[in-house]
Amino acid sequence: VKTLGGCILLAVYRGKMSEGISFNDNNARGVVCIGLPLPSTFVLPIKVKMDYNDEQRKIHQRTDLLPGREWYQQQAYRAIAQALGRCIRHIADYGAIFLLDIRHCDDGSPNNGCPTAHVNLPCWMRNSVRNLSRNAKGRSPMLQYTTSSSSDILGGWDGLKPELRQFFKTAKPYAAGILSKSREKITASPCPP
């Protein structure tokens, strides 16, 4: 990044790059997440945990535990949150996050103002997700989902490039303003004794 101005780093969910490594600022301006990293249900500890949660809820009426299937899905979204966290590291950091899986698309069924597809995403990004959409007519097979979102990126992949250009054009000065305000608050606050 420092010598050539950019690079691409490939990693897998839950791998060595998933936690503890910080790619602040220009070191990561985008993350592409492909698929939904559901753990294998054939692995004994996963199956046992799902069964345990279901049993505890049914027999002992424990409402503090998620049902087994919900716990299982939560594990995938934890891995996604870790992957997304490689890009957004602090209040003034910014980047584009791409969730490449039809299961992330707005299914048109709001759940307290948030589509079901976005409920398990991190809170800070739920209302910022936008779907690619060609238009009402002639959707490509990849984009054959319904959406209630008024913030679709029209034109499919072709519409994404101008959207990203505009995002990065406005994100840099916006982030600089946030940093400036944070510095002002820090300098204005009295130092503790």
Side-chain angles (χ1 to χ4, degrees):
V1 171
K2 289 180 182 174
T3 58
L4 301 176
C7 73
I8 295 175
L9 173 67
L10 302 175
V12 296
Y13 290 113
R14 297 184 188 90
K16 289 186 179 185
M17 292 294 183
S18 68
E19 292 183 35
I21 298 176
S22 186
F23 296 106
N24 291 8
D25 306 320
N26 288 332
N27 290 319
R29 290 292 182 216
V31 171
V32 178
C33 294
I34 301 171
L36 196 61
L38 293 164
S40 173
T41 55
F42 299 109
V43 175
L44 188 59
I46 300 294
K47 183 168 177 28
V48 168
K49 174 63 175 164
M50 289 171 62
D51 291 344
Y52 172 80
N53 280 22
D54 288 339
E55 177 185 282
Q56 291 294 311
R57 288 180 62 87
K58 185 177 180 180
I59 296 172
H60 301 289
Q61 284 75 43
R62 288 195 51 193
T63 56
D64 61 323
L65 292 174
L66 289 173
R69 197 81 190 149
E70 283 183 40
W71 174 87
Y72 173 73
Q73 287 192 336
Q74 185 184 59
Q75 302 316 299
Y77 284 96
R78 281 186 179 162
I80 288 172
Q82 284 295 327
L84 303 178
R86 301 308 95 209
C87 181
I88 310 296
R89 301 300 297 170
H90 54 79
I91 193 169
D93 207 355
Y94 60 92
I97 297 168
F98 303 92
L99 301 170
L100 302 182
D101 193 294
I102 196 77
R103 293 170 284 192
H104 293 298
C105 293
D106 180 351
D107 61 2
S109 55
N111 189 359
N112 294 330
C114 184
T116 307
H118 306 162
V119 168
N120 293 318
L121 293 173
C123 295
W124 57 267
M125 75 172 294
R126 285 180 194 160
N127 296 320
S128 300
V129 176
R130 297 176 64 194
N131 290 316
L132 288 179
S133 177
R134 290 217 180 267
N135 55 29
K137 302 176 205 166
R139 289 180 185 262
S140 74
M142 185 184 77
L143 301 171
Q144 288 179 345
Y145 53 83
T146 58
T147 181
S148 62
S149 176
S150 60
S151 63
D152 286 355
I153 297 174
L154 297 177
W157 292 109
D158 294 337
L160 184 60
K161 187 174 182 178
E163 288 282 334
L164 285 173
R165 193 174 284 132
Q166 180 62 32
F167 168 75
F168 283 109
K169 183 179 177 181
T170 58
K172 190 172 185 175
Y174 179 76
I178 289 175
L179 274 178
S180 176
K181 287 178 186 175
S182 294
R183 286 188 189 118
E184 287 173 13
K185 284 182 183 177
I186 291 170
T187 56
S189 66
C191 293

